[in-house]
Amino acid sequence: MSLHVGLLPALPPGLALAPLASPPPSALPLASPTVSLLVRWLHVVAATVALGGAVLLWGVLRDSSVVDLDFDTDSTLTLATAYEWLFWVALGALVMTGVGNLGTYAPAIPGGSWAAAMTWKLAAVFLVLVGSAVRTLLVVRWRDGGASAPDRRRVLRVGYAATALALAGVVALAEVLAHG
Ligand code: HEM
């Protein structure tokens, strides 16, 4: 059957419409598979640094005898300061590469349970960001003195435990997104 549209001449009988030589722009991926893989790799590495560091700090503040260090106030705060730097670099990388991960789904971002998991993940990330801002401010303030050493240690131990647990929850939601 030939197609006859408006004033265009009819196609000769038997001539089928050929598929488009290239997909329409809306169907093109935003990045090459290699770039997407690199972005996802960076996302996972940054998640590992943020979560692994929080677990390490939590463990060390629970029982300083696990490492051969004299955990006076200064060394605890030195370790905490090092982690705070790492944490914010990792979170910056996670947010940027997270947006890149979303881009690999464009233009058809999934809905339904995927969207629900994504919403929970973003809410959890937001809570981690707010809680971590408080944690970092405490570390910075205590470097100039403040609460007693046992109090600092107790508060930081709880802070790193909460960070580790919240990030573990974010990773669980992330696995639902990627593989659920
Ligand atoms: C604004 C923040 C973030 C956005 C927009 C975001 C977005 C995403 C998206 C869309 C995926 C799915 C990728 C895929 O289907 O292949 C993903 C995977 C993942 N995300 Fe995030 N993410 C964010 C923050 C985080 C944070 C804070 C963590 C961890 C602490 C994290 C850990 C992961 C992990 C472990 C995966 C699984 C990767 C895989 O198994 O291939 N993300 N993220």
Side-chain angles (χ1 to χ4, degrees):
M1 190 174 68
S2 65
L3 187 67
H4 191 189
V5 183
L7 298 174
L8 293 175
L11 289 171
L15 185 67
L17 283 176
L20 289 173
S22 56
S26 61
L28 291 173
L30 290 181
S32 74
T34 311
V35 171
S36 298
L37 191 64
L38 200 65
V39 168
R40 197 187 290 184
W41 173 80
L42 198 56
H43 198 72
V44 173
V45 169
T48 310
V49 168
L51 175 55
V55 171
L56 179 69
L57 264 286
W58 179 15
V60 163
L61 288 170
R62 260 170 58 86
D63 178 8
S64 59
S65 66
V66 294
V67 287
D68 188 18
L69 279 175
D70 174 19
F71 267 91
D72 55 24
T73 309
D74 284 348
S75 50
T76 303
L77 286 178
T78 301
L79 199 64
T81 304
Y83 174 74
E84 296 305 326
W85 277 104
L86 267 182
F87 173 86
W88 287 106
V89 170
L91 256 286
L94 277 164
V95 171
M96 283 190 290
T97 53
V99 173
N101 282 344
L102 277 177
T104 61
Y105 284 93
I109 304 285
S113 57
W114 195 95
M118 189 70 219
T119 306
W120 280 108
K121 181 176 168 178
L122 290 180
V125 171
F126 179 74
L127 284 181
V128 169
L129 288 176
V130 173
S132 296
V134 174
R135 197 195 59 227
T136 304
L137 286 176
L138 286 177
V139 171
V140 171
R141 174 183 288 190
W142 287 342
R143 276 153 47 102
D144 300 328
S148 68
D151 281 351
R152 293 174 193 185
R153 196 177 162 133
R154 193 171 49 250
V155 171
L156 286 182
R157 190 176 63 222
V158 171
Y160 290 120
T163 306
L165 292 175
L167 287 177
V170 172
V171 168
L173 287 166
E175 291 311 320
V176 173
L177 289 176
H179 309 284

